[in-house]
Amino acid sequence: MSIQSPTKVLKEDLKAKLLQPDYISGSDILLRCLLLEGVDCVFGYPGGAVLNIYNAMHGNPDFNHLLTRHEQGAIHAADGYARTTGKVGICLATSGPGATNLVTGIATAYMDSVPLVVITGNVASNFIGTDAFQEADITGITMPITKHSYLVRNVEDLPRIIHEAFHIANTGRKGPVLIDIPKDISADKTIFKYVDTVNIRGYHPTMDPNKLQVDKIVKAIIAAERPVILAGGGVVYANASKELIEFVNLTQIPITTTLLGLSGFPSSHELWMGMPGMHGTYTANMAIQNADLLISIGARFDDRVTMKLDGFAPKAKIIHIDVDPAEIGKNVKTEIPCVGDVKVVLEYANTKVKSANSADWIAKIKQMKLDFPLKYIDSETELKPQFVIEVINETTKGEAIITTDVGQHQMWTAQYYKFNHPRSWVTSGGLGTMGFGFPSAIGAQMGNPGRLVVSINGDGGMQMCSQELAICSINKIPVKIVVINNQVLGMVRQWQEILYNNRESHIDLAGSPDFVKLAEAYGVKGLRATNKAEARQVWQEALDHDGPVLIDFVVRKEENVYPMVTAGSTISEMLMGDSE
């Protein structure tokens, strides 16, 4: 399989062919509609209820499908594709266990507002509700974790449903939409009529802000002396990074970016303070706690950012800009709400704003950054995970797409990797899904064939989807797969050390496989490093290799992520660690 570009544009002759009003099956209608929506890769796994769909794919040169080794791998790959391209990610699975294996990935995308169209097969319509073989009520099961879902009852409805699903997934607050297609519907035939309009009663996301609210924001900025911007993933999803940079330059307001907001603002900017919250920088947390104005842009005041709510930003007037009105006022009291698409809001605001009276505040921020940088105690005898991330950062110069799994390595990467471009950072924020990192990198690489994609994983999460090494080997997907191997569930161990008096319980991963041999078993190049010199050498070797590589970095087991804010504390109450 060749990796295709996500900017694929249908040729006019192909488009004309696809639009022909032929008498075709529901399966052929599905494939045509996906192609007409601009889909260039579907991640999936076949089974009985979707055999008609897979039969329609056979011999179809225009339809690109990547067979993963598990349905969870398929949906995480679709997620990584969507986050890095800005397009809707597509995955396909059969009924019953195939569909239920997608649930964790659907919840992951829902929590992080990622646009997916998830297509499942179901048993034939006349068997629905009879507990037929491999039947599961997937629309009911996923109702709380989808933006919308469809159970297709009539083949004539398929073109409309597919077009609506794409529209819903990728507008307003983005998210996953599920289409469940019974087997008889995928077989039924009708005259194909493409639908390219949308009229959904009750669904009209607010994109344009109330300009009076934006004017209030402008006045608040002028009056502020210690303003701070808190930018979240909404900036990235709205493609508003350019507008945010302009807003910061115009207002001269220091900025912190949440975990999902990383890459939405360049790390090299002099007013960037790092990430806030539980493992945020000293500067970002103290700036929030001492701010007199906090402007949240596309962030939802997650509990890992705010920590103890009644002690969060106690001196600040809160401004909240978000496309989802349900988020405003949900967690923190908001003085100036502004509902609208972040890009549209900032475009208008940039015509109005002036520099804040923030010179003294900026000087204090800069001094804090100098006095309290991120740091760790390096070692010449043991390999430190922070050093590994620093090496990756130095060699890629902020130009790579970085995906992570969940745990300590995720936080070290968020702290020590510096991003230049939006959509370069893929991680499971809201749900914290282990097993996400590696398959999401496969999707990112499929969507960005010309870019370096680095997947950073712990030794725990790597084992949850390691079977996807097969598709990297078979399809020559050149992801660089990093394993931060501390032989333990690191973040759980850290919590048990700090919060449970070192009572380590069921965290030992010492019986894990030899990751180099595991990679080689799948036909992927495997390398290992146990010290700093080896780390530099094998990482450069991996970069020089034109195919997929797995690098096993064996690091110190006892290393902790600092700063750290424990539950029940405010973000100014940071544990700074051994270097405190």
Side-chain angles (χ1 to χ4, degrees), residues 390-409:
E390 286 180 330
V391 169
I392 295 171
N393 179 60
E394 289 167 11
T395 51
T396 62
K397 298 179 171 55
E399 295 294 319
I401 292 174
I402 304 291
T403 80
T404 77
D405 211 82
V406 172
Q408 286 181 312
H409 70 277

Side-chain angles (χ1 to χ4, degrees), residues 128 146 217 262 276 356:
I128 291 177
T146 51
I217 294 171
L262 293 173

Side-chain angles (χ1 to χ4, degrees), residues 407-424:
Q408 286 181 312
H409 70 277
Q410 177 190 32
M411 294 298 104
W412 284 316
T413 308
Q415 290 176 336
Y416 287 94
Y417 195 87
K418 309 305 178 188
F419 295 93
N420 296 335
H421 309 292
R423 298 194 181 278
S424 296

Side-chain angles (χ1 to χ4, degrees), residues 328-403:
I328 295 178
K330 185 178 83 173
N331 293 331
V332 299
K333 182 181 177 182
T334 302
E335 278 79 9
I336 305 177
C338 183
V339 178
D341 179 81
V342 167
K343 187 180 183 76
V344 178
V345 172
L346 290 178
E347 282 177 341
Y348 177 69
N350 287 341
T351 67
K352 297 277 189 174
V353 293
K354 298 178 182 178
S355 178
N357 182 26
S358 56
D360 292 343
W361 177 233
I362 290 173
K364 290 179 181 177
I365 296 290
K366 288 183 177 179
Q367 191 60 49
M368 269 197 288
K369 288 171 71 175
L370 291 172
D371 293 342
F372 299 97
L374 289 169
K375 56 185 178 180
Y376 62 96
I377 299 175
D378 202 0
S379 171
E380 294 303 319
T381 58
E382 295 178 298
L383 184 58
K384 292 295 187 83
Q386 301 96 324
F387 174 81
V388 175
I389 305 304
E390 286 180 330
V391 169
I392 295 171
N393 179 60
E394 289 167 11
T395 51
T396 62
K397 298 179 171 55
E399 295 294 319
I401 292 174
I402 304 291
T403 80

Side-chain angles (χ1 to χ4, degrees), residues 13-90:
D13 56 342
L14 175 57
K15 185 175 181 180
K17 173 185 165 186
L18 294 173
L19 289 171
Q20 287 296 313
D22 299 325
Y23 185 69
I24 55 176
S25 70
S27 297
D28 287 313
I29 289 172
L30 172 65
L31 301 194
R32 282 197 186 190
C33 287
L34 292 178
L35 288 169
L36 288 165
E37 293 291 343
V39 172
D40 51 61
C41 186
V42 172
F43 304 88
Y45 202 97
V50 288
L51 283 181
N52 293 327
I53 297 170
Y54 277 87
N55 184 57
M57 291 182 201
H58 187 268
N60 187 333
D62 304 310
F63 197 82
N64 192 20
H65 176 279
L66 185 69
L67 172 64
T68 59
R69 292 301 181 265
H70 193 289
E71 291 90 354
Q72 188 166 339
I75 192 163
H76 291 332
D79 186 311
Y81 174 95
R83 295 191 202 219
T84 56
T85 64
K87 297 180 67 176
V88 177
I90 314 295

Side-chain angles (χ1 to χ4, degrees), residues 514-522 526 528:
D514 180 323
F515 287 103
V516 172
K517 289 182 178 178
L518 181 66
E520 291 172 345
Y522 281 105
R528 178 176 290 112

Side-chain angles (χ1 to χ4, degrees), residues 122-133 135-136 153 182-184:
N122 208 332
V123 298
S125 299
N126 60 313
F127 285 112
I128 291 177
T130 68
D131 293 331
F133 177 68
E135 182 191 359
R153 294 290 192 177
K183 191 169 184 180
D184 57 310

Side-chain angles (χ1 to χ4, degrees), residues 433-449:
T433 303
M434 288 181 69
F436 171 84
F438 173 40
S440 71
I442 293 171
Q445 189 74 82
M446 293 297 292
N448 301 269

